Short mmCIF file of all heavy atoms in Angstrom, two decimals:
data_model
loop_
_atom_site.label_atom_id
_atom_site.label_comp_id
_atom_site.label_asym_id
_atom_site.label_seq_id
_atom_site.Cartn_x
_atom_site.Cartn_y
_atom_site.Cartn_z
N ASN L 11 -55.01 99.74 -36.67
CA ASN L 11 -55.94 100.86 -36.84
C ASN L 11 -56.66 101.17 -35.54
O ASN L 11 -56.92 100.27 -34.73
CB ASN L 11 -56.97 100.52 -37.92
CG ASN L 11 -56.32 100.13 -39.23
OD1 ASN L 11 -55.37 100.77 -39.67
ND2 ASN L 11 -56.82 99.06 -39.86
N PRO L 12 -57.00 102.45 -35.28
CA PRO L 12 -57.74 102.80 -34.06
C PRO L 12 -59.12 102.16 -34.06
O PRO L 12 -59.76 102.02 -35.11
CB PRO L 12 -57.83 104.33 -34.13
CG PRO L 12 -57.60 104.68 -35.57
CD PRO L 12 -56.70 103.63 -36.12
N ILE L 13 -59.59 101.78 -32.87
CA ILE L 13 -60.87 101.09 -32.74
C ILE L 13 -61.91 101.94 -32.00
O ILE L 13 -63.04 102.08 -32.46
CB ILE L 13 -60.68 99.75 -31.98
CG1 ILE L 13 -59.67 98.86 -32.71
CG2 ILE L 13 -62.02 99.04 -31.82
CD1 ILE L 13 -60.12 98.35 -34.06
N LEU L 14 -61.53 102.52 -30.88
CA LEU L 14 -62.49 103.24 -30.04
C LEU L 14 -62.23 104.73 -29.96
O LEU L 14 -63.02 105.46 -29.35
CB LEU L 14 -62.51 102.64 -28.64
CG LEU L 14 -63.07 101.21 -28.53
CD1 LEU L 14 -62.96 100.71 -27.10
CD2 LEU L 14 -64.51 101.16 -29.00
N THR L 15 -61.15 105.20 -30.52
CA THR L 15 -60.86 106.64 -30.52
C THR L 15 -60.42 107.08 -31.91
O THR L 15 -59.75 106.32 -32.62
CB THR L 15 -59.73 106.96 -29.52
OG1 THR L 15 -58.57 106.18 -29.85
CG2 THR L 15 -60.16 106.66 -28.11
N PRO L 16 -60.78 108.31 -32.31
CA PRO L 16 -61.71 109.21 -31.60
C PRO L 16 -63.15 108.74 -31.76
O PRO L 16 -63.46 107.92 -32.61
CB PRO L 16 -61.49 110.54 -32.30
CG PRO L 16 -61.07 110.17 -33.69
CD PRO L 16 -60.27 108.90 -33.56
N MET L 17 -64.02 109.27 -30.91
CA MET L 17 -65.44 108.90 -30.96
C MET L 17 -66.10 109.41 -32.23
O MET L 17 -66.79 108.67 -32.94
CB MET L 17 -66.17 109.43 -29.72
CG MET L 17 -65.76 108.77 -28.42
SD MET L 17 -66.30 107.03 -28.33
CE MET L 17 -68.04 107.25 -28.01
N VAL L 18 -65.94 110.71 -32.51
CA VAL L 18 -66.47 111.31 -33.74
C VAL L 18 -65.43 112.28 -34.28
O VAL L 18 -64.49 112.66 -33.58
CB VAL L 18 -67.81 112.06 -33.50
CG1 VAL L 18 -68.93 111.10 -33.14
CG2 VAL L 18 -67.65 113.13 -32.43
N GLY L 19 -65.61 112.67 -35.53
CA GLY L 19 -64.70 113.62 -36.14
C GLY L 19 -64.85 115.01 -35.55
O GLY L 19 -65.83 115.32 -34.87
N GLU L 20 -63.89 115.84 -35.84
CA GLU L 20 -63.88 117.20 -35.30
C GLU L 20 -65.10 117.99 -35.76
O GLU L 20 -65.49 117.97 -36.93
CB GLU L 20 -62.59 117.91 -35.76
CG GLU L 20 -62.36 119.25 -35.08
CD GLU L 20 -61.03 119.87 -35.48
OE1 GLU L 20 -60.19 119.15 -36.06
OE2 GLU L 20 -60.84 121.06 -35.20
N GLY L 21 -65.72 118.69 -34.80
CA GLY L 21 -66.86 119.55 -35.10
C GLY L 21 -68.20 118.84 -35.13
O GLY L 21 -69.24 119.46 -35.40
N LEU L 22 -68.23 117.52 -34.86
CA LEU L 22 -69.48 116.77 -34.89
C LEU L 22 -70.03 116.55 -33.49
O LEU L 22 -69.27 116.43 -32.52
CB LEU L 22 -69.26 115.41 -35.57
CG LEU L 22 -68.89 115.44 -37.05
CD1 LEU L 22 -68.58 114.03 -37.55
CD2 LEU L 22 -70.02 116.05 -37.88
N SER L 23 -71.36 116.50 -33.37
CA SER L 23 -72.03 116.30 -32.09
C SER L 23 -72.32 114.81 -31.88
O SER L 23 -72.91 114.17 -32.76
CB SER L 23 -73.33 117.09 -32.04
OG SER L 23 -74.18 116.64 -31.02
N VAL L 24 -71.91 114.28 -30.74
CA VAL L 24 -72.14 112.87 -30.44
C VAL L 24 -73.64 112.55 -30.45
O VAL L 24 -74.08 111.52 -30.99
CB VAL L 24 -71.54 112.48 -29.07
CG1 VAL L 24 -71.98 111.08 -28.65
CG2 VAL L 24 -70.01 112.54 -29.14
N GLY L 25 -74.47 113.44 -29.88
CA GLY L 25 -75.90 113.20 -29.80
C GLY L 25 -76.58 113.05 -31.14
O GLY L 25 -77.33 112.10 -31.38
N SER L 26 -76.32 113.99 -32.06
CA SER L 26 -76.97 113.93 -33.36
C SER L 26 -76.40 112.82 -34.23
O SER L 26 -77.12 112.15 -34.97
CB SER L 26 -76.85 115.27 -34.09
OG SER L 26 -75.49 115.61 -34.30
N VAL L 27 -75.08 112.58 -34.12
CA VAL L 27 -74.46 111.51 -34.91
C VAL L 27 -74.97 110.15 -34.47
O VAL L 27 -75.24 109.27 -35.29
CB VAL L 27 -72.92 111.57 -34.80
CG1 VAL L 27 -72.28 110.32 -35.41
CG2 VAL L 27 -72.38 112.81 -35.49
N LEU L 28 -75.15 109.96 -33.15
CA LEU L 28 -75.63 108.68 -32.65
C LEU L 28 -76.99 108.33 -33.23
O LEU L 28 -77.26 107.17 -33.58
CB LEU L 28 -75.70 108.69 -31.12
CG LEU L 28 -76.22 107.41 -30.46
CD1 LEU L 28 -75.33 106.23 -30.82
CD2 LEU L 28 -76.31 107.58 -28.95
N GLY L 29 -77.87 109.33 -33.35
CA GLY L 29 -79.18 109.07 -33.95
C GLY L 29 -79.07 108.58 -35.38
O GLY L 29 -79.78 107.65 -35.78
N GLN L 30 -78.17 109.20 -36.16
CA GLN L 30 -77.96 108.74 -37.54
C GLN L 30 -77.42 107.32 -37.57
O GLN L 30 -77.83 106.49 -38.40
CB GLN L 30 -76.99 109.68 -38.25
CG GLN L 30 -77.49 111.10 -38.41
CD GLN L 30 -76.42 111.99 -39.02
OE1 GLN L 30 -75.94 111.74 -40.11
NE2 GLN L 30 -76.03 113.03 -38.29
N LEU L 31 -76.50 107.03 -36.66
CA LEU L 31 -75.91 105.70 -36.61
C LEU L 31 -76.95 104.65 -36.25
O LEU L 31 -76.97 103.55 -36.81
CB LEU L 31 -74.77 105.65 -35.58
CG LEU L 31 -73.58 106.59 -35.82
CD1 LEU L 31 -72.51 106.34 -34.78
CD2 LEU L 31 -73.01 106.40 -37.21
N MET L 32 -77.84 104.99 -35.32
CA MET L 32 -78.86 104.03 -34.90
C MET L 32 -79.80 103.68 -36.05
O MET L 32 -80.21 102.52 -36.19
CB MET L 32 -79.64 104.58 -33.71
CG MET L 32 -78.82 104.60 -32.42
SD MET L 32 -79.70 105.37 -31.03
CE MET L 32 -80.94 104.13 -30.68
N VAL L 33 -80.12 104.66 -36.89
CA VAL L 33 -80.96 104.38 -38.05
C VAL L 33 -80.25 103.41 -38.99
O VAL L 33 -80.84 102.45 -39.51
CB VAL L 33 -81.32 105.68 -38.79
CG1 VAL L 33 -81.97 105.39 -40.14
CG2 VAL L 33 -82.25 106.53 -37.94
N SER L 34 -78.95 103.63 -39.21
CA SER L 34 -78.18 102.73 -40.07
C SER L 34 -78.11 101.33 -39.49
O SER L 34 -78.30 100.33 -40.18
CB SER L 34 -76.76 103.28 -40.27
OG SER L 34 -76.78 104.48 -40.99
N VAL L 35 -77.83 101.24 -38.18
CA VAL L 35 -77.68 99.93 -37.54
C VAL L 35 -79.03 99.22 -37.44
O VAL L 35 -79.10 97.98 -37.57
CB VAL L 35 -77.04 100.09 -36.14
CG1 VAL L 35 -76.99 98.75 -35.42
CG2 VAL L 35 -75.63 100.65 -36.26
N LEU L 36 -80.12 99.96 -37.24
CA LEU L 36 -81.44 99.34 -37.16
C LEU L 36 -81.81 98.62 -38.44
O LEU L 36 -82.56 97.63 -38.43
CB LEU L 36 -82.51 100.39 -36.82
CG LEU L 36 -82.55 100.83 -35.36
CD1 LEU L 36 -83.46 102.04 -35.18
CD2 LEU L 36 -82.98 99.69 -34.45
N PHE L 37 -81.29 99.09 -39.56
CA PHE L 37 -81.50 98.38 -40.83
C PHE L 37 -80.93 96.97 -40.74
O PHE L 37 -81.54 95.99 -41.17
CB PHE L 37 -80.84 99.15 -41.98
CG PHE L 37 -80.85 98.42 -43.29
CD1 PHE L 37 -81.99 98.38 -44.07
CD2 PHE L 37 -79.72 97.76 -43.76
CE1 PHE L 37 -82.02 97.69 -45.28
CE2 PHE L 37 -79.72 97.08 -44.96
CZ PHE L 37 -80.88 97.04 -45.73
N ALA L 38 -79.74 96.86 -40.15
CA ALA L 38 -79.10 95.54 -40.01
C ALA L 38 -79.82 94.66 -39.00
O ALA L 38 -79.76 93.43 -39.10
CB ALA L 38 -77.64 95.72 -39.60
N PHE L 39 -80.51 95.27 -38.03
CA PHE L 39 -81.22 94.51 -37.00
C PHE L 39 -82.66 94.19 -37.38
O PHE L 39 -83.32 93.43 -36.67
CB PHE L 39 -81.23 95.27 -35.67
CG PHE L 39 -80.03 95.02 -34.81
CD1 PHE L 39 -78.94 95.87 -34.83
CD2 PHE L 39 -79.99 93.93 -33.96
CE1 PHE L 39 -77.83 95.65 -34.02
CE2 PHE L 39 -78.89 93.68 -33.15
CZ PHE L 39 -77.81 94.55 -33.18
N ASP L 40 -83.15 94.76 -38.47
CA ASP L 40 -84.57 94.59 -38.78
C ASP L 40 -84.90 93.10 -38.98
O ASP L 40 -84.14 92.37 -39.62
CB ASP L 40 -84.96 95.37 -40.04
CG ASP L 40 -86.45 95.58 -40.10
OD1 ASP L 40 -86.94 96.55 -39.53
OD2 ASP L 40 -87.14 94.73 -40.71
N GLY L 41 -86.04 92.70 -38.46
CA GLY L 41 -86.46 91.31 -38.52
C GLY L 41 -86.83 90.76 -37.15
O GLY L 41 -87.46 89.71 -37.04
N TRP L 42 -86.44 91.49 -36.07
CA TRP L 42 -86.78 91.00 -34.73
C TRP L 42 -88.28 91.03 -34.47
O TRP L 42 -88.77 90.35 -33.57
CB TRP L 42 -86.05 91.82 -33.67
CG TRP L 42 -86.29 93.29 -33.76
CD1 TRP L 42 -85.49 94.20 -34.37
CD2 TRP L 42 -87.41 94.02 -33.26
NE1 TRP L 42 -86.04 95.46 -34.28
CE2 TRP L 42 -87.22 95.37 -33.60
CE3 TRP L 42 -88.54 93.65 -32.55
CZ2 TRP L 42 -88.13 96.35 -33.28
CZ3 TRP L 42 -89.47 94.64 -32.22
CH2 TRP L 42 -89.25 95.97 -32.58
N THR L 43 -89.06 91.77 -35.29
CA THR L 43 -90.51 91.79 -35.10
C THR L 43 -91.14 90.44 -35.43
O THR L 43 -92.30 90.20 -35.08
CB THR L 43 -91.16 92.87 -35.98
OG1 THR L 43 -90.73 92.69 -37.33
CG2 THR L 43 -90.78 94.25 -35.52
N ASN L 44 -90.39 89.57 -36.10
CA ASN L 44 -90.91 88.23 -36.39
C ASN L 44 -90.93 87.33 -35.16
O ASN L 44 -91.42 86.21 -35.21
CB ASN L 44 -90.03 87.56 -37.46
CG ASN L 44 -90.11 88.28 -38.80
OD1 ASN L 44 -91.17 88.73 -39.19
ND2 ASN L 44 -89.00 88.41 -39.46
N VAL L 45 -90.40 87.84 -34.04
CA VAL L 45 -90.26 87.00 -32.86
C VAL L 45 -91.61 86.46 -32.36
O VAL L 45 -91.72 85.32 -31.92
CB VAL L 45 -89.54 87.76 -31.72
CG1 VAL L 45 -90.37 88.92 -31.23
CG2 VAL L 45 -89.16 86.83 -30.60
N GLY L 46 -92.66 87.27 -32.46
CA GLY L 46 -93.97 86.82 -32.01
C GLY L 46 -94.56 85.69 -32.84
O GLY L 46 -95.41 84.94 -32.38
N ALA L 47 -94.08 85.57 -34.09
CA ALA L 47 -94.65 84.56 -34.99
C ALA L 47 -94.36 83.14 -34.54
O ALA L 47 -95.10 82.21 -34.88
CB ALA L 47 -94.10 84.78 -36.40
#
């Protein structure tokens, strides 16, 4: 299966899609704020 291509589907903007992806991925990363504890 393709891994790095294509970047996004036809007609989609990389800039706006990346923002949506970051929100999704940030859910998986949540918890780093505990580092100060």
Side-chain angles (χ1 to χ4, degrees):
N11 305 316
I13 302 293
L14 293 177
T15 57
M17 292 291 285
V18 293
E20 189 175 346
L22 294 175
S23 163
V24 170
S26 61
V27 170
L28 179 60
Q30 296 175 59
L31 299 185
M32 289 175 71
V33 169
S34 294
V35 175
L36 283 170
F37 173 78
F39 272 96
D40 199 87
W42 55 263
T43 52
N44 295 320
V45 66

